[in-house]
Amino acid sequence: MNDPIIKFDKVIKRFGDLTVLDELDFEVGRGEKVSIIGPSGSGKSTVLRILMTLEGIEGGVVTVNGEPLWHEEGPDGLRPASEAHLHKMRTQLGMVFQQFNLFPHMTVLRNITEAPVKVLGLSKAEAKGRAEELLELVGLADQAQKYPHQLSGGQQQRVGIARALAMRPNVLLFDEPTSALDPELVGEVLNVIGRLAEEHDLTMLLVTHEMRFAREISDRVCFFDQGRIREEGTPEELFTDPKEDRTREFLKAVLD
Amino acid sequence: MLFGFEWDLSSPAAYAASILPILLIGMWVTIQATVIGFIVALVLGLVWAVLKAAPFRIISWPATVMTEFIRDTPLLVQLFFLYYVLPEYGIVLPAFMTGTLALGIQYSAYTSEVYRAGIEAVAKDQHEAARALNLTPARTFTHIVVPQAVPRIVPAMGNYLVSIMKDVPVLSVVTVLEMLNVAKIVGDRTFNYLVPLSMVGGLYLVMTLVASAGVRLLDGWLPKQGIPLK
Amino acid sequence: MQLTDYIAPLMQGAWVTVQLTLYSTVLGAMLAFASGIGKLSRNRAINAICVAYIELFRGTSLLVQLFWLYFALPLAGSAMGLDLRLPPVLAGVLALSLNIGAYGAEVVRGAIAAVHQDQREAARALNFTERQTLWDIVIPQAIPEMMPPFGNLAVQNLKDTALVSLISLGDLTFRAEQIRNYTQDSTTIYSMLLVMYFGMALVLTVMMRGLERYVTRWRRARS
């Protein structure tokens, strides 16, 4: 892969005695849509949380757009990143959370405009214009003045997507975006994500349990197991002809 | 001179050392007032809690209003009321007794809420189970509710014990010689308030730290799931 | 002196009590926010100052604090060559606010700590700075949680104002004491006094409930 936008190089992540990522090597190309699947506790979400700078790493190097994420170039090589460096690097990334994590004390519109105004320094009018376009995109143009608790879970997650997009990230991370939803609400969220995947050159990294959806939208699917990528390939290869026993077992268990 | 101890004003340190025994005598009165006030609050609070839980509104309603009234009016005024009004009806108590009674009454309004909350928290969960087991209401209360409510009640009561301790200086207004009053008298006589009042502050810190540690110790020692019954 | 003659001085005293309560509650709330947030600070010095303040004022008695500020502070000041004699109003407001502020600090700290970690993560993902996260995201969600205990503290503060009568500040209790000394009519005067405090506490409670409804209005929006 030439010039990957995301690169994990022998990344180690531990929680106490538990090694969650075990010298993980992993790359995502510019504009690529990659799905990560695998059993719970395999470290899938941790990959996203490290990229979003919500979790630090214990070893290895993560680069985003050619620049180390958790390190800075110092006089004697790499040193741990300062908050200022993380702040700069985060401008390239956005995240959609499993539990939506909308701000309950702000209207839908304010949820979307707050960061563009406060962080990017947009004027209120600019931010509002951007938010209205995005609400149109996710099909919630008429809900702008409501508070999150007045919306269904599916609607809240669509606001979550609009909120992340409002920051114009290069990479959008989806952390099990439909796992907290009632089954009948999953479709509307997947529709929005699918449309984004089709119409935008955004790089997308998606942790999901929705196998059929992963198969539809992804350029590549990675099967995670015990802190490593056990197998990866195009959706066709991985879903129809998995090479590894572990992959086959997992797919058999979740698809049946 | 106070309580037979002379003060030595030659230096602040000598002054502090010479009045320490006097302040400790005051501290002993503070501790006594705290303990007695606490006991009154525990007993009277239980009475309020039972009255407030009564099935007849003619009993529960006045009890609720009364505890609200006690809770929303200052200890100092309640103390004045007891100290000056009771004698008009022929009830003459020593100042110390009046003071501890006022402390107990004020805090009974708070402790009654602790009893109510502690018992309700347990009763809700366990009431149906006890019914299913066909226990009598009395047996349910003594064998199921109380052993489980006590560990919930103790920490909150402990906090009120510390609060009562900090309110004891109010009793100085009716001439009780607790620690602050003693320090004030020493200050009045020596024209130096700084040393005795600062010492009272320091001694208070020690007392509240010890009392809080004691409460935490008791709390840690009580089994959280309830007191085991043999 | 007639019963109706009590009214005017008592009202004067009540007005002083209302002002004392207002000033010390507002100042106490500011102290509570400053030290409650400071206690969560990673800056060692700020943290130590806030912890020391909170422990000192929660660990000692309000009346001791009041007497110290009124009787002892001037002596400490003259030892340093400063005139720290406080007028009773200032000593009273200061003691009341410092005391209630220390209790309020624990409320503020607890409410801020109780805001869910998810909210901080969302703010971080949107690249808010720590300061923006605190003031924009965390504190607005913590304030509703602070309101019920703040209501209790405000009533506590109203009751505590009675103690300033002991440094001859002309509040409600002080006026009542003056009248009692003159008339010896203890039963009437103290009954009136208790009822007046109760009335003020009820009004204050209603006002705090109103404030609570105001800061939680976003929670009640209905579709």
Side-chain angles (χ1 to χ4, degrees):
Chain A
M1 195 179 304
N2 312 326
D3 185 23
I5 190 163
I6 290 168
K7 187 164 186 235
F8 278 59
D9 185 9
K10 298 212 174 349
V11 171
I12 299 171
K13 172 69 192 174
R14 290 192 201 95
F15 290 116
D17 291 338
L18 183 72
T19 301
V20 185
L21 298 184
D22 183 11
E23 301 203 349
L24 174 72
D25 290 318
F26 174 57
E27 288 183 1
V28 179
R30 224 167 272 279
E32 200 182 10
K33 325 292 180 206
V34 177
S35 293
I36 300 177
I37 61 171
S40 353
S42 59
K44 303 171 304 218
S45 290
T46 307
V47 170
L48 301 194
R49 292 174 59 79
I50 287 171
L51 281 167
M52 199 60 255
T53 72
L54 302 177
E55 306 274 3
I57 56 178
E58 270 77 50
V61 177
V62 178
T63 48
V64 175
N65 227 345
E67 236 187 303
L69 177 67
W70 278 102
H71 300 85
E72 267 176 282
E73 309 279 359
D76 332 301
L78 293 180
R79 56 191 166 88
S82 63
E83 184 56 37
H85 176 76
L86 294 177
H87 190 79
K88 188 188 79 184
M89 294 303 287
R90 274 197 295 265
T91 56
Q92 311 196 47
L93 300 146
M95 186 153 179
V96 175
F97 295 89
Q98 182 176 355
Q99 301 290 342
F100 334 131
N101 299 9
L102 297 183
F103 304 129
H105 59 301
M106 295 180 183
T107 60
V108 165
L109 185 71
R110 185 90 189 267
N111 259 282
I112 302 172
T113 59
E114 190 71 2
V117 170
K118 291 272 165 68
V119 179
L120 304 180
L122 262 59
S123 74
K124 288 214 167 118
E126 277 177 286
K128 185 159 181 265
R130 196 182 271 197
E132 279 163 355
E133 269 172 44
L134 288 166
L135 281 173
E136 195 75 45
L137 177 81
V138 299
L140 292 171
D142 52 342
Q143 309 286 330
Q145 294 309 324
K146 289 200 174 157
Y147 284 94
H149 71 261
Q150 296 172 281
L151 304 180
S152 73
Q155 290 173 319
Q156 289 190 47
Q157 191 58 296
R158 281 142 70 196
V159 175
I161 294 169
R163 182 176 72 171
L165 286 171
M167 298 298 280
R168 304 259 162 100
N170 299 326
V171 181
L172 194 49
L173 311 167
F174 293 89
D175 187 8
E176 305 196 23
T178 57
S179 297
L181 296 176
D182 292 335
E184 73 272 18
L185 300 176
V186 169
E188 60 187 74
V189 173
L190 294 184
N191 270 337
V192 169
I193 301 174
R195 227 178 30 247
L196 271 180
E198 252 169 59
E199 297 168 8
H200 290 260
D201 51 6
L202 195 65
T203 306
M204 286 171 45
L205 195 50
L206 176 80
V207 169
T208 187
H209 293 296
E210 298 286 335
M211 295 304 150
R212 192 172 306 154
F213 181 70
R215 187 171 179 168
E216 267 170 38
I217 68 145
S218 310
D219 301 318
R220 182 157 55 100
V221 179
C222 300
F223 173 65
F224 250 70
D225 190 34
Q226 292 172 343
R228 289 185 171 207
I229 295 176
R230 193 53 85 89
E231 185 170 359
E232 60 181 319
T234 64
E236 278 312 302
E237 291 166 359
L238 198 97
F239 283 109
T240 52
D241 184 24
K243 305 274 179 299
E244 300 270 335
D245 289 344
R246 279 292 294 146
T247 320
R248 218 168 293 138
E249 279 167 35
F250 173 76
L251 288 175
K252 190 168 165 355
V254 292
L255 291 177
D256 285 351
Chain B
M1 196 175 88
L2 193 63
F3 305 139
F5 292 94
E6 293 286 348
W7 32 79
D8 174 0
L9 287 162
S10 56
S11 74
Y15 182 34
S18 67
I19 62 172
L20 184 63
I22 302 173
L23 293 182
L24 289 179
I25 291 170
M27 189 198 226
W28 176 234
V29 174
T30 299
I31 292 170
Q32 287 174 313
T34 305
V35 171
I36 298 173
F38 186 55
I39 292 169
V40 174
L42 287 181
V43 174
L44 191 56
L46 189 58
V47 173
W48 290 128
V50 170
L51 291 179
K52 285 201 279 188
F56 313 104
R57 216 174 274 173
I58 196 157
I59 298 172
S60 66
W61 202 75
T64 307
V65 171
M66 201 56 211
T67 50
E68 246 347 279
F69 189 83
I70 293 170
R71 187 211 304 270
D72 281 352
T73 47
L75 171 63
L76 178 63
V77 180
Q78 292 170 6
L79 178 60
F80 278 146
F81 188 92
L82 293 178
Y83 191 69
Y84 292 110
V85 174
L86 286 185
E88 290 189 3
Y89 297 89
I91 306 168
V92 182
L93 296 173
F96 180 82
M97 287 319 293
T98 313
T100 50
L101 193 61
L103 276 173
I105 289 173
Q106 165 96 157
Y107 278 91
S108 69
Y110 294 93
T111 57
S112 73
E113 271 308 293
V114 177
Y115 286 121
R116 195 194 53 76
I119 289 169
E120 259 181 21
V122 177
K124 250 186 204 143
D125 299 344
Q126 303 270 309
H127 192 72
E128 287 177 7
R131 268 186 97 124
L133 292 170
N134 220 359
L135 295 173
T136 64
R139 212 174 157 76
T140 305
F141 190 77
T142 56
H143 282 63
I144 310 288
V145 175
V146 170
Q148 293 187 78
V150 166
R152 291 167 199 257
I153 286 173
V154 164
M157 292 300 188
N159 289 338
Y160 286 130
L161 174 74
V162 177
S163 297
I164 290 175
M165 185 184 278
K166 288 185 280 192
D167 272 345
V168 170
V170 175
L171 272 50
S172 63
V173 300
V174 294
T175 71
V176 173
L177 287 172
E178 50 67 56
M179 190 163 51
L180 180 66
N181 202 6
V182 169
K184 181 84 178 358
I185 291 169
V186 172
D188 288 341
R189 301 219 187 135
T190 59
F191 301 103
N192 183 341
Y193 293 100
L194 183 59
V195 171
L197 287 181
S198 303
M199 285 173 76
V200 171
L203 290 170
Y204 250 104
L205 275 180
V206 172
M207 285 201 296
T208 52
L209 281 177
V210 170
S212 307
V215 170
R216 264 201 306 279
L217 213 66
L218 184 61
D219 183 31
W221 171 78
L222 280 172
K224 283 288 151 298
Q225 306 79 13
I227 296 167
L229 294 178
K230 298 270 153 56
Chain C
M1 202 169 178
Q2 297 249 307
L3 195 60
T4 45
D5 297 337
Y6 296 173
I7 303 286
L10 283 182
M11 284 324 246
Q12 262 179 6
W15 175 233
V16 173
T17 294
V18 167
Q19 285 175 301
L20 276 172
T21 307
L22 187 69
Y23 298 151
S24 57
T25 303
V26 170
L27 190 57
M30 290 194 243
L31 281 166
F33 268 92
S35 54
I37 292 167
K39 196 178 170 182
L40 292 163
S41 166
R42 278 196 293 265
N43 181 318
R44 284 254 180 97
I46 293 175
N47 185 278
I49 291 169
C50 294
V51 170
Y53 158 63
I54 294 167
E55 294 304 319
L56 183 64
F57 281 85
R58 281 168 55 99
T60 56
S61 162
L62 171 60
L63 197 54
V64 175
Q65 293 155 21
L66 182 68
F67 278 10
W68 198 92
L69 285 175
Y70 191 65
F71 295 110
L73 184 65
L75 293 163
S78 67
M80 295 182 290
L82 298 168
D83 184 7
L84 293 179
R85 283 173 298 177
L86 304 178
V89 181
L90 192 55
V93 169
L94 215 53
L96 289 167
S97 353
L98 284 166
N99 186 262
I100 213 78
Y103 287 91
E106 284 301 306
V107 173
V108 169
R109 190 200 55 77
I112 287 177
V115 171
H116 208 282
Q117 186 60 23
D118 285 355
Q119 290 290 313
R120 291 170 223 265
E121 291 191 349
R124 194 167 159 86
L126 290 167
N127 224 350
F128 287 104
T129 62
E130 278 188 40
R131 184 177 296 244
Q132 286 170 330
T133 304
L134 181 68
W135 289 102
D136 238 41
I137 309 299
V138 175
I139 287 179
Q141 294 183 54
I143 284 176
E145 300 304 319
M146 299 174 197
M147 289 317 291
F150 268 5
N152 290 338
L153 285 178
V155 171
Q156 181 68 47
N157 202 25
L158 165 66
K159 293 187 338 180
D160 285 345
T161 59
L163 295 180
V164 301
S165 64
L166 303 179
I167 56 168
S168 54
L169 215 159
D171 77 322
L172 181 55
T173 304
F174 187 80
R175 296 281 174 217
E177 270 294 282
Q178 280 183 323
I179 299 171
R180 192 199 60 83
N181 278 331
Y182 186 71
T183 65
Q184 296 297 319
D185 182 7
S186 305
T187 310
T188 314
I189 194 74
Y190 286 128
S191 303
M192 285 174 79
L193 191 56
L194 284 169
V195 169
M196 285 176 81
Y197 272 109
F198 186 52
M200 286 195 280
L202 291 183
V203 171
L204 185 58
T205 305
V206 169
M207 283 167 58
M208 291 304 287
R209 294 257 164 82
L211 191 61
E212 183 177 348
R213 282 185 70 80
Y214 177 75
V215 298
T216 56
R217 63 199 181 286
W218 52 270
R219 286 184 175 177
R220 286 190 310 276
R222 288 274 158 265
S223 38

